[in-house]
Amino acid sequence: MKKMLRNKKGFTLIELMIVVAIIGILAAIAIPNFMNYQCKAKQSEAKSALGSIKTLQVAYFAEYDTFATSTDQVGFSIDSDARYTYSIAAATPTTNFTATATADINGNTDTWTINRTGPLSNSSNACE
């Protein structure tokens, strides 16, 4: 009896293949979700920066009675390793402005805009 117990150590090939298949199925489900969450995390840079630009524009308007036409005028700056490029277009300098953030995320263009009155809008979403 002891001799039979000594020979029954380890896993069979079938058991190992089942474990590999389960890990493969979990990876197939988890990796796309992870990529989507990663993309949305990158978009948070644009959302935060455009909110800052809107706040700076409102302060600039309160002081000069016109909206700025560039990010330098309002004092907006961002780290050199930013994913997005930011621009301000003053369609009507005394009543409204449009700030835009554009980036290439995973080979797709991602564009966010904000103006004085409206919320953030996303005209081309790289995460979908």
Side-chain angles (χ1 to χ4, degrees):
M1 185 72 173
K2 277 188 177 182
K3 194 174 191 178
M4 282 179 50
L5 288 177
R6 268 191 244 146
N7 293 337
K8 292 223 170 205
K9 294 180 182 175
F11 298 103
T12 65
L13 183 59
I14 298 295
E15 291 170 332
L16 290 175
M17 293 301 289
I18 290 171
V19 169
V20 169
I22 290 171
I23 290 172
I25 291 168
L26 291 175
I29 294 169
I31 290 173
N33 286 338
F34 172 75
M35 298 300 284
N36 191 32
Y37 288 124
Q38 186 180 32
C39 185
K40 289 182 184 289
K42 290 176 183 176
Q43 286 181 334
S44 68
E45 174 195 322
K47 294 174 183 179
S48 174
L50 287 175
S52 296
I53 290 173
K54 181 178 178 181
T55 302
L56 290 169
Q57 280 282 49
V58 169
Y60 188 90
F61 185 81
E63 188 169 342
Y64 298 106
D65 290 329
T66 186
F67 288 109
T69 57
S70 73
T71 56
D72 293 335
Q73 277 183 299
V74 294
F76 175 78
S77 65
I78 196 141
D79 295 336
S80 61
D81 61 343
R83 290 180 182 87
Y84 287 81
T85 55
Y86 301 94
S87 63
I88 296 175
T92 51
T94 57
T95 59
N96 202 2
F97 71 93
T98 301
T100 305
T102 306
D104 179 29
I105 298 178
N106 302 329
N108 298 317
T109 302
D110 194 44
T111 305
W112 290 85
T113 57
I114 194 168
N115 60 32
R116 181 182 66 85
T117 58
L120 282 167
S121 63
N122 186 235
S123 59
S124 61
N125 195 341
C127 295
E128 293 178 350

